[in-house]
Amino acid sequence: MSRVRRSAKLRYGDKELAIQQRLRALDTFRGMAIVFMIFVNDGAGGYWWLEHATWNGLAAGDLVFPAFLWIMGVCVPLSIKSAFAKGIPRWKILIHIVRRSFVMFLLGISLNTIYGSNMLSELRVFGVLQRLAFAYLVSAGFYALTAPKYYTPPRGACGQALKDVLSCVWCWILAGVLIALHSAITFILHDPNCPSGYLGPGGKHDDWYAPECSGGAAGYIDRLLLGSSHLYQNSDARTVYGGSVTDPEGLLGCLTSAVQALLGVQAGATVLLQRSHKARVSRWLAWALVFALAAALLAGFSRDHGVVPINKNLWSISFVLATSAVSLAILSICYTFTDAWRLWAGGPFRAPGLNAIALYVGHSICAHLFPFHWKIPVMRTHAIRLVEAVWGTALWVIIAHVMAKKKVFVTL
């Protein structure tokens, strides 16, 4: 209050942070993402619709990683405004963001050797944590640089209604630049022996139309700059279609991953600036509708025949919009039940959401260890594989609850 009296302005976020508890919906959503991610990585019972689409299209398993990335962006405004409220200088916040991104990237490279080679000449460079690290560096770093410590909402009904969007205007500009850059590279840059704008998996796809052009510009850039030996060698697309090596977490997709995190930043700004439950949920659902419609238009309301098909392997902009729309809808539901109506405490997902990184690293390290995984002579039925996947996932949920009860929270 002394700062308010001296400056006649309210430091952006102080009142929210003072009167509002940590939103249960954020931890619950993050927990749902990490639990389902573990379940999918454990095989998801062998059901195709619970795993990843081979190339174009959207399966349930494709929603997990972008949801985790998106909710990371949602938390960016809350954490940075909290740091501002504590008087932490902007440069210290930036150093923390860079350090955290660097540690996450190195940890991801280390985890790659669990499933791949540890030979330096064959070490996979990119992966899940590396993609998260890049998106966090861009979204959190840019927001920390451009977000004002003091914010005065514009006057008038229109300004008040759009104050959360106007507070993130620089993030929207950066997102537009990244989308334009990604689109230009995708449709202009290509291998000299491949057609421009090719978005297919190569190999025998489409009657061997472009057998050596797997992934189009994205695959070409990865093979050119990183080398085929440093990419993911066992992708589903390569198994099905053959063709050249492609990495689903490659270089070009980092641009649209950063866009997805920036869309999350906008949702987080809504939490800061819109005080009522109705205002928050209505805006999230409105954005979900806009993003879903835009994704459908880009994809041509089809799986394969749109201008930009929904594709996780390429992390296409239509994929970003579609999965962000689903994330907004799920967050709205979680928020309504956990924070608005307070009918649900978030269990059993909230505890895993408080230790998401620890659970991800732990389940990766224990990928082949008993009791998390086991086998019997006949593992060919969906029922047995589903029991094994649920068992391993449930153990990690129990571990998360034990850690939360003992107040052990692992952060980078």
Side-chain angles (χ1 to χ4, degrees):
M1 289 305 297
S2 63
R3 287 201 300 270
V4 173
R5 293 192 187 98
R6 286 199 305 269
S7 64
K9 289 184 178 180
L10 181 68
R11 185 181 288 267
Y12 189 39
D14 276 10
K15 187 175 181 180
E16 281 293 296
L17 295 165
I19 67 173
Q20 180 175 285
Q21 295 179 346
R22 182 185 180 103
L23 291 181
R24 294 179 179 181
L26 301 183
D27 296 324
T28 302
F29 182 97
R30 192 187 302 108
M32 294 171 67
I34 190 62
V35 168
F36 194 53
M37 181 181 289
I38 294 173
F39 176 71
V40 171
N41 290 345
D42 285 355
Y47 293 101
W48 67 267
W49 54 275
L50 287 175
E51 297 184 353
H52 299 293
T54 303
W55 193 250
N56 291 337
L58 195 65
D62 296 322
L63 301 174
V64 181
F65 185 15
F68 198 76
L69 194 153
W70 179 84
I71 198 66
M72 178 184 67
V74 174
C75 297
V76 164
L78 306 178
S79 60
I80 290 179
K81 291 303 180 181
S82 175
F84 284 160
K86 294 175 183 177
I88 299 176
R90 199 182 294 265
W91 65 270
K92 283 190 176 181
I93 298 174
L94 288 169
I95 289 177
H96 171 73
I97 291 170
V98 172
R99 182 197 64 80
R100 190 182 185 195
S101 301
F102 182 72
V103 171
M104 199 184 306
F105 196 96
L106 288 183
L107 185 59
I109 294 178
S110 179
L111 292 180
N112 282 348
T113 60
I114 295 175
Y115 303 99
S117 173
N118 61 357
M119 292 285 293
L120 294 181
S121 59
E122 300 175 350
L123 197 66
R124 185 188 176 200
V125 178
F126 281 87
V128 172
L129 288 184
Q130 295 92 312
R131 178 67 65 84
L132 288 171
F134 180 85
Y136 177 73
L137 179 64
V138 173
S139 60
F142 189 78
Y143 187 82
L145 281 173
T146 58
K149 290 184 178 181
Y150 302 95
Y151 181 73
T152 303
R155 296 179 179 179
C158 185
Q160 288 294 319
L162 297 175
K163 58 185 176 182
D164 52 331
V165 178
L166 296 175
S167 70
C168 291
V169 63
W170 288 109
C171 291
W172 282 106
I173 292 173
L174 177 61
V177 171
L178 292 175
I179 292 172
L181 179 61
H182 180 273
S183 300
I185 294 174
T186 299
F187 291 102
I188 296 176
L189 183 67
H190 62 96
D191 187 302
N193 299 317
C194 298
S196 60
Y198 179 71
L199 300 174
K204 55 189 175 184
H205 177 261
D206 199 15
D207 294 328
W208 303 92
Y209 171 69
E212 301 300 325
C213 304
S214 302
Y220 174 61
I221 290 173
D222 290 339
R223 292 188 292 270
L224 181 67
L225 299 181
L226 300 176
S228 296
S229 61
H230 294 288
L231 305 179
Y232 185 54
Q233 303 294 316
N234 303 311
S235 65
D236 292 340
R238 192 184 185 197
T239 302
V240 173
Y241 297 108
S244 305
V245 179
T246 58
D247 198 319
E249 283 85 40
L251 285 165
L252 189 58
C254 289
L255 299 180
T256 41
S257 296
V259 172
Q260 186 140 36
L262 289 169
L263 296 181
V265 169
Q266 174 60 70
T270 300
V271 175
L272 282 177
L273 285 166
Q274 300 296 340
R275 304 298 176 87
S276 71
H277 300 312
K278 182 179 179 181
R280 292 171 177 175
V281 173
S282 62
R283 281 162 175 77
W284 288 338
L285 292 178
W287 281 119
L289 183 61
V290 170
F291 292 161
L293 182 59
L297 289 172
L298 287 172
F301 293 89
S302 68
R303 188 183 70 174
D304 299 310
H305 304 297
V307 177
V308 184
I310 296 174
N311 189 299
K312 177 186 180 294
N313 294 275
L314 302 177
W315 215 273
S316 62
I317 187 59
S318 57
F319 174 79
V320 170
L321 294 172
T323 52
S324 295
V326 174
S327 296
L328 280 161
I330 295 175
L331 179 63
S332 299
I333 295 171
C334 291
Y335 181 85
T336 299
F337 283 96
T338 59
D339 295 288
W341 294 349
R342 294 191 174 274
L343 297 177
W344 180 33
F349 301 108
R350 194 181 179 201
L354 295 171
N355 267 308
I357 290 293
L359 262 63
Y360 179 81
V361 173
H363 105 276
S364 298
I365 293 174
C366 300
H368 304 291
L369 299 182
F370 182 85
F372 301 98
H373 295 279
W374 43 264
K375 292 182 179 180
I376 61 175
V378 180
M379 292 285 292
R380 297 180 181 178
T381 66
H382 286 299
I384 294 299
R385 294 179 65 181
L386 182 62
V387 168
E388 195 266 348
V390 171
W391 168 269
T393 305
L395 287 181
W396 285 109
V397 172
I398 293 171
I399 290 172
H401 279 270
V402 172
M403 294 176 69
K405 186 175 182 179
K406 293 181 177 294
K407 300 187 185 300
V408 177
F409 305 108
V410 180
T411 58
L412 296 180

